[in-house]
Amino acid sequence: MKLWDKGFSTDTKIDHFTVGDDRELDLILAKYDVIASKAHAKMLGRIGLLSKEETLALTKELDHIASTIANGKFTIEDSFEDMHSKIEYLLTEKLGDTGKKIHTARSRNDQVLVAMHLYLKAELSEIKQQTKTLFDLLLQQAEKYKDILLPGYTHLQIAMPSSFGLWFSAYAESLVDDVYFLNAAYKVADQNPLGSAAGYGSSFDIDRTFTTKEMGFETLKYNVVAAQMGRGKVEKAAAFGLANIAASLSKMAMDICLYMSQNFDFVSFPDELTTGSSIMPHKKNPDVFELVRGKCNKLQAVPQQLTLVINNLPSGYHRDLQLVKEIIVPAIQDMKACLEIMTFSLKEIRVNPNILDDPKYDYLFSVDTLNELVQNGMPFRDAYKKMGQEIQQGTFTPKRDIQHSHEGSLGNLCLDEIRKKMDGAL
């Protein structure tokens, strides 16, 4: 069954090629098509295109379909092109001609658009909550380990003292920036495209303001052509939000992979969170974090993938736009999985409290030792030369009782201020 069926069939090869993965992906999106269909049915009733009885019958049956979706019993067989045709079939099977009226004043195109907007709103909200959960954990770990020093690096060379408090809270505050991007994507998605039909509106006197409020959108995408041009664009906005979180998680995963190495030995995890080697019995591999790194690097390519699909398309609908669904939906699932596994794993992290006992880290304290000379009256440039000569001659004695007190330093992490920033972002 196809919504565009005119009484003749297309070649089987054409069917397979044009449908693609839509049935599988639509099982995820069907819930949102039902929400939009309910709002549309109520609106048709308000403007007199459906009777009260027809409106009630349609909304009741749509609620029933929603329950089958929620309990996993909804299916889209090969005889249906997509979720839209299956849902309309179920309505017609149950309600006869009333079911056939659900498609009045809309197109499959704005059905796809509104379902995707609703889906992205829901998923972006969930990803924001998962990000907040990870953020809270990072701040807890920062507070717990704030006094344990950690080598800081520039150019992968020993640089200056850091701390686990500084490291954990750095990633926490980075997630605040990522939420800003999610908020921007959510704002793009929070515009109702329903009523744009095939991209040029309808001659029916539909009430788009009603469906906007009914579905919980902040506003509607007023211009029907602009609404159509939003297809692909809203997915791309969401992809940029995902890519920013992915960049933070990928960087942290890379740190952890380094820090777990015996050459660093900064952190470790319980055996059940690591994997082994088929021939080397001593191995405890950071496979989880390597996969997070790899998945998140893939996620950072999603905006570019979408760009290559939608770039240079003229206004109006083109079948190319079907392909954005198979890019963004799996990306969202991967993002949620990475956030979940990072939170799960970082609860069990074990930090080495004696890292800086190793004399190879003495040079971490050269800047603080130099700064003490400056505080005692020596010009900075003279102090710098003196320190350089001592290091070269092997006579350097580090000042280990460091005092960092300015905002955001290892002695003043400003965790409450960072928490307030995230609260504001959310």
Side-chain angles (χ1 to χ4, degrees), residues 95-115:
L95 304 175
D97 286 347
T98 298
K100 296 178 184 179
K101 294 182 179 181
I102 190 65
H103 203 59
T104 305
R106 70 176 181 179
S107 163
R108 183 172 68 165
N109 195 42
D110 63 345
Q111 282 186 263
V112 175
L113 267 166
V114 71

Side-chain angles (χ1 to χ4, degrees), residues 95-146:
L95 304 175
D97 286 347
T98 298
K100 296 178 184 179
K101 294 182 179 181
I102 190 65
H103 203 59
T104 305
R106 70 176 181 179
S107 163
R108 183 172 68 165
N109 195 42
D110 63 345
Q111 282 186 263
V112 175
L113 267 166
V114 71
M116 181 57 72
H117 276 247
L118 289 168
Y119 166 74
L120 289 176
K121 283 181 62 179
E123 293 292 353
L124 289 169
S125 295
E126 186 171 339
I127 289 170
K128 279 174 67 173
Q129 188 53 56
Q130 283 187 283
T131 303
K132 176 59 161 55
T133 301
L134 177 58
F135 169 88
D136 289 339
L137 175 64
L138 291 172
L139 285 194
Q140 290 169 17
Q141 300 290 44
E143 179 64 36
K144 182 177 180 180
Y145 297 114
K146 64 183 178 182

